[in-house]
Amino acid sequence: MSQTSKTFASQADLEEKRVSFDKLSEHAYAYTAEGDPNTGIVMGDDAVMVIDTQATPVMAQDVIRRIREVTDKPIKYVLLSHYHAVRVLGASAYKPEHVIASQDTFDLIVERGEQDKASEIGRFPRLFQNVESVPPGLTWPTLTFTGKMTLWLGKLEVQILQLGRGHTKGDTVVWLPQDRVLFSGDLVEFDATPYAGDAYFQDWPQTLDRLAALKPAKLVPGRGAALQTPEQVQAGLEGTRAFVSELYAAVKAGVAAGRDLNRVYREAYSQLEGKYGHWVIFAHCMPFDVTRAFDEASGHVDPRIWTAERDIAMWKSLEGQ
């Protein structure tokens, strides 16, 4: 691992990704882009739901264009799987009747939404194309729920579920029981590194077990290709669980041995790089992931707020820049 050559976060990532728009069932589509953040689409009898919005309204227009190629039904609902800016700042483009989120996600927007917006725009320039198109302020939910909420889009049952903490404390999934399709948000990634800077490492594996208990036939992860067989779904769940578990175990052992964050980071990086280093945004995520794991293993139950300034200070400390 080079300690001197890494550009901050994903600022050097400038290559455009190829978009795929896959039909998973009569009612479910996946908008994916080679490891960039995914968007899910639910086509009901009388309305459309969009799950995670893309990072800017200009980028969301490409999602809308593809939806309009298959339906003229109104986009009534936007569902936020969690609060991160890259997932929510495109919401205004859809002109939805309602923006739905868990109450925990709403609370995180109140607590740290502004800081997260500035932080993520700094980390991911390419993902915030035409950032000037983002309206001032934050994306605010108009409907919140705790635990479970069911929408009926005509005869289509859409279950909106909070199954536990993992990627954030507000993580929300969308389950179509008739089609057995699950939209997981960033609780599940596929060939992409889980970002865990706001995570609950000790809860995340159990939350994945609850997702697996639904027995989805297909799954749209937060990043990576849509998983279109039960075997692929299992691989996505197991890969995410393995990364989260192995990273936390490595960091917890370092904390228990009294090592400082820098040494724990170097050791965890070297332990995980061989198995996961080829995953999308591995080098980006690891400093944030290990820092959060170090905090959790040291008794800090809830994640600290990432600001643009904290991002840079942490990166310089761990990556020597």
Side-chain angles (χ1 to χ4, degrees):
M1 179 181 68
S2 168
Q3 288 292 107
T4 59
S5 62
K6 287 188 186 170
T7 305
F8 170 65
S10 286
Q11 288 190 349
D13 174 8
L14 302 175
E15 185 179 333
E16 292 301 315
K17 303 298 178 71
R18 184 176 57 82
V19 170
S20 300
F21 190 65
D22 297 318
K23 183 175 182 177
L24 306 184
S25 73
E26 182 184 351
H27 307 105
Y29 289 77
Y31 179 100
T32 66
E34 298 183 307
D36 277 0
N38 294 338
T39 292
I41 297 96
V42 175
M43 307 278 191
D45 297 330
D46 54 2
V48 176
M49 172 187 285
V50 169
I51 302 155
D52 293 333
T53 71
Q54 297 294 301
T56 67
V58 166
M59 296 176 73
Q61 290 297 334
D62 191 53
V63 180
I64 294 169
R65 178 177 67 80
R66 290 165 190 271
I67 291 171
R68 289 292 164 246
E69 289 174 355
V70 293
T71 184
D72 59 0
K73 293 168 185 170
I75 301 170
K76 287 189 177 181
Y77 303 100
V78 163
L79 184 284
L80 310 180
S81 69
H82 59 287
Y83 81 100
H84 286 150
V86 77
R87 300 291 177 180
V88 310
L89 292 182
S92 62
Y94 302 94
K95 298 180 172 59
E97 290 183 14
H98 286 291
V99 177
I100 304 169
S102 67
Q103 184 61 44
D104 285 327
T105 290
F106 186 95
D107 293 345
L108 286 167
I109 295 170
V110 171
E111 179 189 45
R112 56 183 69 195
E114 286 286 1
Q115 295 95 323
D116 177 72
K117 181 178 179 180
S119 167
E120 290 198 54
I121 290 170
R123 296 181 198 177
F124 279 118
R126 182 178 56 77
L127 293 185
F128 288 90
Q129 292 170 24
N130 303 101
V131 71
E132 69 281 355
S133 67
V134 176
L138 302 173
T139 300
W140 289 103
T142 61
L143 285 175
T144 60
F145 74 100
T146 301
K148 179 179 179 179
M149 173 179 176
T150 301
L151 278 182
W152 292 89
L153 303 185
K155 294 180 180 178
L156 179 68
E157 181 180 3
V158 182
Q159 293 184 10
I160 303 169
L161 307 171
Q162 236 188 318
L163 296 175
R165 302 183 301 188
H167 178 68
T168 74
K169 78 171 182 180
D171 292 331
T172 299
V173 304
V174 174
W175 171 236
L176 305 182
Q178 292 155 243
D179 295 10
R180 307 205 67 76
V181 177
L182 182 67
F183 300 86
S184 71
D186 282 328
L187 278 168
V188 180
E189 312 290 22
F190 187 66
D191 284 343
T193 310
Y195 172 75
D198 298 303
Y200 290 81
F201 278 93
Q202 294 169 92
D203 291 11
W204 200 333
Q206 185 178 8
T207 302
L208 292 173
D209 291 345
R210 295 182 186 127
L211 267 61
L214 295 170
K215 294 185 168 56
K218 300 183 180 185
L219 186 150
V220 180
R223 289 174 178 265
L227 307 176
Q228 302 206 40
T229 67
E231 292 76 21
Q232 289 180 350
V233 171
Q234 184 177 359
L237 289 163
E238 289 181 352
T240 304
R241 184 188 291 108
F243 176 87
V244 170
S245 300
E246 289 168 27
L247 187 145
Y248 190 66
V251 172
K252 187 177 178 184
V255 170
R259 300 184 182 119
D260 66 12
L261 175 59
N262 283 60
R263 183 173 171 189
V264 168
Y265 173 64
R266 291 193 299 273
E267 291 175 350
Y269 198 109
S270 64
Q271 283 184 44
L272 272 69
E273 185 177 21
K275 187 173 177 181
Y276 304 107
H278 64 287
W279 281 5
V280 172
I281 64 170
F282 179 81
H284 172 133
C285 289
M286 282 297 287
F288 298 96
D289 291 6
V290 172
T291 299
R292 170 55 193 151
F294 189 93
D295 278 357
E296 186 171 338
S298 303
H300 296 279
V301 175
D302 294 306
R304 290 187 285 150
I305 296 174
W306 289 102
T307 64
E309 296 75 20
R310 184 185 173 213
D311 287 359
I312 297 292
M314 177 279 295
W315 195 272
K316 286 181 178 177
S317 171
L318 296 186
E319 289 293 350
Q321 289 191 24

